[in-house]
Amino acid sequence: MIEDFNLDYKNFFEETDSLKRWKSLIKIYNKDYGSFRVLFLVEAMAFLDKWKEPSVEDLNKILSHIMDGGRVAIRIGRIIDLFMPVWPLEVAKYDIMQLKIYSNNFTPKNYFFTYIKIFSTALVQTWWAFETLMNDFASIILEQRKESLSHVEKLFLQDKNIILNKKGIVEERLTFQPLDTRIQFIFKLLTGKSIDRQSHDWQNIMNLKNARNSYVHRIGKDDNGKFSFLDKKVILSGFKSVQEIISQVFLNTPEFSERFIYKFLSFWSCKNDHPFMWDGKSGKSFYLGLTEMDPDAIINLYAPMESSFEQMDNFKEKDITSAFTATAKNRRS
């Protein structure tokens, strides 16, 4: 990669503030992709070497080594360890990226099933990532604070309650509290702050949940033709709010904020729309860094064959919703 590196950035790591460096690195990504690849690799490798914030000396040592033609290596397990705390969110980014690229380059009337596939996958994956991560955080805090949490708090974190069984004996049983109230409880316990229920982020989260429920539980059953899972704004706004709430957890939960890894993840996973870790084309290796998808690659994957019918020039997006509604009516009649 060194042949793509612009030597104008050889002093890039003289900046000691990691957050300022990362913001500068995003700008480099947008104008000099080759140099970004090298600099991001140095950032990640220096961090993974000691699992703490790297010093300027550490960063420049690796960069100088690469500039001299040297190679760097690290155990794949360490890269996986970096990825694991946020992997559901990073996976959701792939689907959100496909949704954006599809929406900007193609129309539903040309790619009917691709439209449904990309929209629904982005919706379900985004909500699943949010629910999964919040439950993961609850499990971590349950273990980290097991000496200080009350018994009631422990029960709620485990989604349990105390009941009397048929024999009159007290026992703990799973209760499955409503997700929105459980998430608020977990967030406050972690950060010490309540989620503002009037905020745009919370409203976006609730719209995302309702759209997901509409798709999973009610599609083809409603007659009003309103299927919010096809609303791109609901999905994209919901995804940004998921990122924001996860970022707040990382930055405001003492067990997370004290560790540099969560500062890293808050920026690269929660503040950026591109996954920071990708499959590489060289077999068992990974690619660390940001990148984008080719629109044609998406369509070639989802629509590999030429159409068997003539183009429907007068077909409109709303006809998709009408088709679902008509199918539901016919099935019941």
Side-chain angles (χ1 to χ4, degrees):
M1 292 191 297
I2 189 59
E3 64 272 12
D4 296 324
F5 183 66
N6 187 334
L7 294 179
D8 289 343
Y9 300 115
K10 65 181 181 180
N11 296 321
F12 178 80
F13 293 111
E14 295 306 315
E15 172 58 65
T16 59
D17 188 315
S18 58
L19 188 58
K20 290 182 179 178
R21 277 202 318 271
W22 296 340
K23 289 180 178 179
S24 298
L25 199 47
I26 292 295
K27 295 179 181 178
I28 295 173
Y29 168 75
N30 291 323
K31 64 180 181 180
D32 188 344
Y33 183 60
S35 295
F36 167 83
R37 283 167 57 99
V38 175
L39 295 172
F40 186 87
L41 179 68
V42 173
E43 286 277 5
M45 292 303 228
F47 164 51
L48 293 176
D49 181 44
K50 300 177 180 179
W51 283 108
K52 65 179 183 179
E53 183 170 10
S55 66
V56 169
E57 291 73 24
D58 292 334
L59 294 162
N60 281 321
K61 182 178 180 180
I62 297 176
L63 180 60
S64 296
H65 176 70
I66 295 176
M67 290 173 62
D68 290 339
R71 302 181 68 181
V72 292
I74 199 164
R75 293 185 182 92
I76 288 178
R78 291 202 166 193
I79 300 176
I80 296 296
D81 289 342
L82 174 64
F83 179 68
M84 285 304 292
V86 288
W87 74 269
L89 186 60
E90 289 297 300
V91 171
K93 286 183 181 181
Y94 284 79
D95 298 309
I96 291 294
M97 184 178 293
Q98 288 186 68
L99 173 59
K100 289 180 177 178
I101 293 174
Y102 172 84
S103 300
N104 292 335
N105 293 275
F106 307 100
T107 57
K109 69 179 182 180
N110 294 346
Y111 300 99
F112 176 85
F113 287 107
T114 302
Y115 175 66
I116 300 300
K117 170 65 176 176
I118 288 179
F119 269 69
S120 60
T121 303
L123 170 63
V124 172
Q125 183 66 44
T126 298
W127 176 257
W128 178 80
F130 183 54
E131 182 182 347
T132 298
L133 286 176
M134 292 303 292
N135 283 326
D136 285 349
F137 299 154
S139 298
I140 292 172
I141 294 304
L142 181 62
E143 174 62 27
Q144 294 288 320
R145 301 182 189 176
K146 58 185 176 182
E147 301 300 329
S148 60
L149 291 173
S150 69
H151 185 61
V152 173
E153 289 172 329
K154 291 178 181 178
L155 286 176
F156 278 121
L157 285 176
Q158 298 174 83
D159 220 357
K160 292 181 178 180
N161 204 348
I162 297 176
I163 67 166
L164 288 174
N165 64 21
K166 294 180 179 180
K167 297 180 180 180
I169 300 174
V170 176
E171 66 177 37
E172 297 176 2
R173 183 174 296 180
L174 290 172
T175 55
F176 301 107
Q177 300 288 338
L179 280 172
D180 51 340
T181 55
R182 175 171 167 78
I183 287 169
Q184 292 176 77
F185 171 76
I186 293 172
F187 184 89
K188 184 173 183 179
L189 193 63
L190 266 61
T191 68
K193 303 176 182 179
S194 297
I195 295 179
D196 182 0
R197 291 172 56 86
Q198 303 304 316
S199 67
H200 289 298
D201 283 328
W202 185 248
Q203 297 304 313
N204 290 339
I205 292 292
M206 290 299 96
N207 289 338
L208 182 73
K209 185 192 79 167
N210 292 335
R212 178 264 180 194
N213 290 344
S214 178
Y215 173 71
V216 172
H217 301 297
R218 295 191 294 274
I219 185 171
K221 299 177 182 178
D222 294 338
D223 293 332
N224 57 17
K226 295 180 180 179
F227 294 93
S228 57
F229 80 92
L230 297 176
D231 187 341
K232 181 177 71 171
K233 183 179 179 181
V234 169
I235 302 175
L236 297 183
S237 297
F239 175 73
K240 295 304 295 181
S241 293
V242 166
Q243 287 182 299
E244 177 58 29
I245 291 179
I246 297 302
S247 176
Q248 290 179 31
V249 170
F250 286 157
L251 297 177
N252 296 313
T253 303
E255 289 84 355
F256 297 147
S257 61
E258 293 172 356
R259 301 181 61 192
F260 182 73
I261 181 176
Y262 293 104
K263 183 178 180 180
F264 183 96
L265 295 175
S266 177
F267 184 86
W268 291 108
S269 189
C270 300
K271 302 298 183 182
N272 287 286
D273 294 340
H274 302 284
F276 68 81
M277 180 174 169
W278 300 73
D279 287 332
K281 292 183 178 179
S282 51
K284 297 180 180 180
S285 300
F286 293 104
Y287 170 67
L288 282 175
L290 311 182
T291 190
E292 298 185 46
M293 300 176 182
D294 183 343
D296 289 337
I298 294 177
I299 292 303
N300 288 335
L301 173 65
Y302 288 114
M305 304 300 293
E306 294 292 332
S307 174
S308 301
F309 305 96
E310 294 182 3
Q311 181 68 40
M312 297 180 289
D313 293 329
N314 60 348
F315 187 71
K316 294 180 171 50
E317 289 186 39
K318 66 180 182 180
D319 293 335
I320 296 178
T321 297
S322 299
F324 278 118
T325 303
T327 300
K329 289 180 178 178
N330 292 336
R331 187 168 61 242
R332 288 192 294 270
S333 61

